[in-house]
Amino acid sequence: MVARFELPFGLAETLLNDYRAGFPSACVLSRCSTDAFRRFRASGLKLGLITNGSVRMQSRKLECLALLPGLTPS
């Protein structure tokens, strides 16, 4: 990408770091998803996550979306 778009040296790493830092908190659940997750949790169902993303990135998303037990949205 750096060569293709003739980006200055180091910019690619800066952009990647910015993406990794900002993307999780930009995630938003639809209203029906939020309601469904609340009903699942209230009924005692255990939920799992299948993803091809990194544990670090997915954990931040779950945290920002308050999908971890005991958390509220940030």
Side-chain angles (χ1 to χ4, degrees), residues 18-37:
D18 184 62
Y19 167 79
R20 287 179 174 157
F23 183 75
S25 61
C27 294
V28 178
L29 283 176
S30 68
R31 176 80 176 148
C32 61
S33 295
T34 302
D35 292 343
F37 283 124

Side-chain angles (χ1 to χ4, degrees), residues 9-10 13 15-16 19-20 28 30 41 44 49 68 71-72:
F9 178 78
E13 186 173 345
L15 293 172
L16 181 59
Y19 167 79
R20 287 179 174 157
V28 178
S30 68
R41 186 173 284 156
L49 174 68
L68 296 175
L71 293 180
T72 55

Side-chain angles (χ1 to χ4, degrees), residues 3-74:
R4 181 175 178 192
F5 294 104
E6 300 176 7
L7 300 175
F9 178 78
L11 181 59
E13 186 173 345
T14 301
L15 293 172
L16 181 59
N17 290 337
D18 184 62
Y19 167 79
R20 287 179 174 157
F23 183 75
S25 61
C27 294
V28 178
L29 283 176
S30 68
R31 176 80 176 148
C32 61
S33 295
T34 302
D35 292 343
F37 283 124
R38 285 191 180 126
R39 285 194 306 271
F40 294 153
R41 186 173 284 156
S43 71
L45 290 174
K46 291 185 179 187
L47 303 177
L49 174 68
I50 299 173
T51 177
N52 64 348
S54 70
V55 171
R56 183 175 134 213
M57 180 66 86
Q58 303 310 332
S59 295
R60 281 287 296 132
K61 289 178 190 175
L62 292 172
E63 181 183 340
C64 290
L65 294 169
L67 293 177
L68 296 175
L71 293 180
T72 55
S74 58

